[in-house]
Amino acid sequence: QVTALDVQTGTSTFANGLRIEGGAIKLEQLTGCSGGSVLETSGDGTITCGTDDTSAGGTPDDQVWELVSTDINFLAPTSTLAVIVGRTDQQTPYNFNALLSLYATSSGATILFASSTDGQTGDFVQFIDNNSLELFSISAAGEASTTDLVVSNTLTFSAITQGSVLFAGTSGLISEDELNFFWDDSNNRLGIGTATPGAPMEINATTTSMIQARWADNAGSGAGITIRRSRGASVGADTVVVSGDHLGAVAWQGYDGAAFITAAQISVHVDGTPGVGDMPGRLTFLTTADDASSPTERMRIDSSGNVGIGTSALPSGGGTPVLALAVSSGDPTGIGANTAGIFVKDVSSSGELHAFDEAGNVSLLSPHDPVTNEWVFESRNLYSGKTIRVDIEKLAKAVEALTGQTFVTEGMLPAGEIQDWDANQLRLVAERDDQIVAYNALPPEEQGDEPEVYVAKPKPAFLA
């Protein structure tokens, strides 16, 4: 086993020449050389110190390699070749168990890998200042380089469109498609099918099924969508919502030739005072009328289960849920085939319930005279034009007088069940005022027709 090999000239004691010892190659005492010199070969193969060394007046561009006694060595026992570039003092390379380690140890030092033999064209990998890596290419000598990738503390893809969301494409290549997958970092918006999202998430597509939610389970549960709302200055700083707060909406819009206009909408509001484990809500359905550009509320279901069609003035307090209908301006027209229904019509400033059928019969279902409060039956036919009115209460009392029998019995409700007309009108006014306040608090895009101010009605004649 040879532990050291010396190749020397001039004396019997090793002072200059080549030494291989301990896995290191050393060149000692070359004439005119100092640490950091550039080695050159002359015509006869002699190794000398180059005159273009920076210490001899050369420029940094001339300084290609500078070697010191530990610049090129094998690090036992991992057989790693380590090359240190750019310093004249000895450095101990980091041992990463790699076959080849290159170190640029001074500020501004560059390590360059080229794919071409001329080193002027092709693809290049360049390390700068120990903390920056660039991938670039040069198509022809002397032309500017095209940078594809820059890593300098952060990773930069210079050829990638800003906002593109990268994904693994064909054969695992990093790819982009900003027109179909885009992130707007300035406004925190995600675009799918668009590079200009107008909301936190916008999806544009030409398929009929744009979003699918699927649930697979042996239980009876199904897939769902949850929309949440809280008060508070930011997400996570949650505070309790209050009555009238808008919790969310789903809107359907169509393009009118100039802009997208809402045709229908379903909205949810808080419908009462919430608390821990208590969140009363109401559901409203809105549609846009012909020759209109914003939706109007058509139906609502309140927290008590009451249903209002065309009206938001629903009964208050506990009890069986009811169906409330808004007062119409007249009898229905254009009655469809196999159709019958009910509606409310204003009679002497009082909303009275009526029924209609396919034959054109319109009949009063609130069987009383709005002035005298006597029980009557009234009907008319929209096609024949005939009308009929029967004062049932007077008829019954006349029969009573003739027969001596009692057919009409009048009485009074218990005092606790009698309601105050004026107080109920004040309630309706207050509720409509609350609806107007809630409407004004909505964003413009969620506002339909503004609720009309409710004016309290005077008592009917029979109550006056």
Side-chain angles (χ1 to χ4, degrees):
Q1 180 178 0
V2 178
T3 59
L5 172 64
D6 293 336
V7 178
Q8 61 179 346
T9 60
T11 64
S12 59
T13 302
F14 180 75
N16 53 47
L18 172 67
R19 166 171 285 190
I20 300 177
E21 179 181 8
I25 301 174
K26 299 181 181 182
L27 298 174
E28 299 286 352
Q29 299 298 321
L30 291 180
T31 304
C33 288
S34 60
S37 295
V38 176
L39 301 182
E40 295 181 350
T41 57
S42 61
D44 60 2
T46 303
I47 298 177
T48 62
C49 290
T51 58
D52 58 354
D53 179 20
T54 53
S55 62
T59 65
D61 291 337
D62 297 327
Q63 186 178 349
V64 181
W65 294 91
E66 294 184 355
L67 308 178
V68 295
S69 60
T70 58
D71 282 349
I72 301 179
N73 59 83
F74 289 93
L75 301 176
T78 58
S79 298
T80 296
L81 174 60
V83 179
I84 303 175
V85 180
R87 297 186 62 161
T88 58
D89 56 329
Q90 295 185 7
Q91 296 288 316
T92 302
Y94 293 105
N95 183 0
F96 294 111
N97 293 326
L99 296 178
L100 175 63
S101 298
L102 303 178
Y103 301 88
T105 57
S106 64
S107 177
T110 296
I111 301 174
L112 181 65
F113 295 89
S115 62
S116 62
T117 56
D118 61 9
Q120 299 181 45
T121 60
D123 298 321
F124 297 84
V125 179
Q126 180 173 241
F127 298 87
I128 304 173
D129 287 346
N130 281 337
N131 61 3
S132 178
L133 177 147
E134 292 185 3
L135 271 63
F136 62 92
S137 60
I138 300 176
S139 57
E143 290 190 1
S145 62
T146 300
T147 303
D148 299 316
L149 172 67
V150 176
V151 180
S152 180
N153 298 322
T154 58
L155 181 62
T156 303
F157 290 91
S158 302
I160 298 296
T161 303
Q162 182 176 354
S164 291
V165 179
L166 303 183
F167 58 90
T170 305
S171 302
L173 295 176
I174 296 178
S175 305
E176 64 167 334
D177 187 356
E178 71 276 8
L179 297 181
N180 288 307
F181 205 14
F182 185 85
W183 174 250
D184 180 355
D185 195 49
S186 299
N187 298 299
N188 294 330
R189 296 172 180 171
L190 178 64
I192 300 177
T194 176
T196 57
M201 184 173 73
E202 180 177 340
I203 302 176
N204 292 344
T206 56
T207 58
T208 56
S209 181
M210 296 177 64
I211 300 177
Q212 294 184 356
R214 179 175 177 177
W215 172 270
D217 194 274
N218 291 326
S221 302
I225 298 174
T226 301
I227 300 176
R228 291 179 171 180
R229 160 77 196 279
S230 69
R231 289 210 167 199
S234 61
V235 175
D238 302 325
T239 60
V240 65
V241 292
V242 300
S243 183
D245 275 357
H246 187 226
L247 297 184
V250 178
W252 289 262
Q253 296 184 335
Y255 194 71
D256 68 352
F260 284 97
I261 302 298
T262 298
Q265 179 175 306
I266 300 176
S267 295
V268 177
H269 294 77
V270 180
D271 193 40
T273 302
V276 176
D278 177 18
M279 189 56 61
R282 70 171 178 268
L283 193 64
T284 57
F285 298 82
L286 302 87
T287 62
T288 301
D290 192 15
D291 294 327
S293 60
S294 59
T296 300
E297 180 179 330
R298 308 300 185 185
M299 184 177 75
R300 70 168 50 193
I301 304 173
D302 70 8
S303 58
S304 298
N306 298 312
V307 178
I309 298 179
T311 179
S312 58
L314 300 179
S316 62
T320 303
V322 301
L323 170 64
L325 303 176
V327 172
S328 66
S329 58
D331 293 334
T333 59
I335 299 173
N338 303 316
T339 301
I342 57 176
F343 68 98
V344 175
K345 182 179 178 180
D346 186 280
V347 179
S348 299
S349 297
S350 176
E352 304 293 339
L353 187 63
H354 292 68
F356 69 90
D357 58 31
E358 183 180 0
N361 295 308
V362 178
S363 304
L364 177 67
L365 296 182
S366 299
H368 71 96
D369 186 302
V371 177
T372 65
N373 203 35
E374 293 177 331
W375 186 26
V376 299
F377 172 78
E378 181 179 289
S379 185
R380 55 197 177 278
N381 189 279
L382 301 178
Y383 297 120
S384 68
K386 292 183 178 180
T387 65
I388 184 173
R389 175 186 170 92
V390 179
D391 193 326
I392 299 176
E393 186 173 344
K394 287 182 178 180
L395 176 62
K397 288 181 178 180
V399 173
E400 284 181 343
L402 293 174
T403 64
Q405 298 183 42
T406 300
F407 296 99
V408 179
T409 301
E410 297 183 359
M412 290 293 294
L413 291 172
E417 297 182 14
I418 300 175
Q419 299 184 25
D420 186 306
W421 173 276
D422 294 326
N424 189 57
Q425 290 297 305
L426 292 175
R427 176 186 69 83
L428 295 175
V429 170
E431 287 183 353
R432 184 58 58 86
D433 289 344
D434 289 342
Q435 292 168 17
I436 293 174
V437 171
Y439 170 87
N440 291 331
L442 290 175
E445 64 271 14
E446 297 179 9
Q447 293 178 343
D449 291 341
E450 184 173 2
E452 297 180 358
V453 175
Y454 184 82
V455 179
K457 292 182 177 181
K459 292 180 179 179
F462 65 86
L463 290 177

